[in-house]
């Protein structure tokens, strides 16, 4: 990795650690990644704006295998597959925004819900200035550039 990539990766990681960093893959398609309050997990909120509506999922994952990968001019973000959890983000005007898992809704007041609410507010207010990336290896809404380019290998198969 060249010095420019090292500096950019350090800037991205610093932003994630300091309250969250926005990334964008294409117009109206954003992802915010930040640390949990306790610091042992990373949270991600995918925000896709389409026809004035906001959709997307939420994720939590460990920090062990988290990586921002540079290959040529392409940048992908990967997460630890063993700790990765997906949350279906639903919005109900009467109940507000909440996250639903296979085990039921996430408890109101959780730091993940608050992280997602803040991210949603920022996107809807247009307060998003993100790093341009090519995709993520964990968010089903944002396939990594390897998949977009027809390649089947990703960083996890290389590690294993």
């Amino acid at each position: 990795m060249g010095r420019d990539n090292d500096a950019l990766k350090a800037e991205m990681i610093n932003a994630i650690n300091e309250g969250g960093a926005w990334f964008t893959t294409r117009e109206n398609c954003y992802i915010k990644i930040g640390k949990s309050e306790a610091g042992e997990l990373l949270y991600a909120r995918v925000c896709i704006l389409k026809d004035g509506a906001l959709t997307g999922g939420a994720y939590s994952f460990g920090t062990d295998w988290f990586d921002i990968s540079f290959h040529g001019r392409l940048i992908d973000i990967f997460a630890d597959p063993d700790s990765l959890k997906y949350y279906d983000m639903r919005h109900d005007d009467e109940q507000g925004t909440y996250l639903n898992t296979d085990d039921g809704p996430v408890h109101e007041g959780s730091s993940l819900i608050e992280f997602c609410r803040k991210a949603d507010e920022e996107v809807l207010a247009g307060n998003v200035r993100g790093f341009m990336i090519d995709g993520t290896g964990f968010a089903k809404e944002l396939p990594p550039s390897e998949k977009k380019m027809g390649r089947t290998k990703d960083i996890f198969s290389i590690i294993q």
Side-chain angles (χ1 to χ4, degrees):
M1 187 181 322
R3 285 186 192 161
D4 291 342
N5 287 353
D6 287 341
L8 180 58
K9 184 173 180 176
E11 183 181 345
M12 292 174 174
I13 298 291
N14 186 53
I16 289 169
N17 292 334
E18 297 295 322
W22 280 103
F23 299 89
T24 183
T25 59
R26 56 195 174 276
E27 187 177 0
N28 297 325
C29 197
Y30 309 96
I31 185 168
K32 184 174 186 178
I33 300 175
K35 273 198 170 179
S36 66
E37 290 175 357
E40 76 271 357
L41 288 175
L42 292 172
Y43 293 150
R45 169 66 171 133
V46 176
C47 298
I48 300 170
L49 286 171
K50 187 174 181 182
D51 300 325
L54 181 64
T55 62
Y59 300 83
S60 66
F61 46 91
T63 59
D64 291 347
W65 290 103
F66 174 74
D67 191 28
I68 298 171
S69 173
F70 292 78
H71 37 103
R73 294 188 319 190
L74 302 177
I75 303 170
D76 286 335
I77 295 177
F78 298 93
D80 178 3
D82 295 328
S83 64
L84 182 67
K85 291 184 182 177
Y86 169 75
Y87 303 87
D88 181 20
M89 177 62 88
R90 300 180 188 201
H91 189 80
D92 182 313
D93 289 335
E94 292 179 19
Q95 297 181 23
T97 303
Y98 66 95
L99 301 168
N100 192 30
T101 67
D102 292 336
D103 300 325
V106 176
H107 297 293
E108 189 63 30
S110 79
S111 57
L112 178 57
I113 288 177
E114 293 309 313
F115 178 82
C116 291
R117 279 193 180 135
K118 185 174 182 200
D120 291 353
E121 289 171 8
E122 290 173 9
V123 166
L124 292 172
N127 296 333
V128 179
R129 193 183 126 257
F131 297 101
M132 188 66 189
I133 61 169
D134 297 295
T136 66
F138 64 88
K140 63 183 177 181
E141 302 94 336
L142 307 172
S145 55
E146 286 95 345
K147 290 184 181 175
K148 287 190 278 187
M149 294 168 39
R151 289 188 245 162
T152 57
K153 285 189 176 182
D154 63 20
I155 194 168
F156 300 123
S157 62
I158 293 169
I159 291 169
Q160 294 169 355

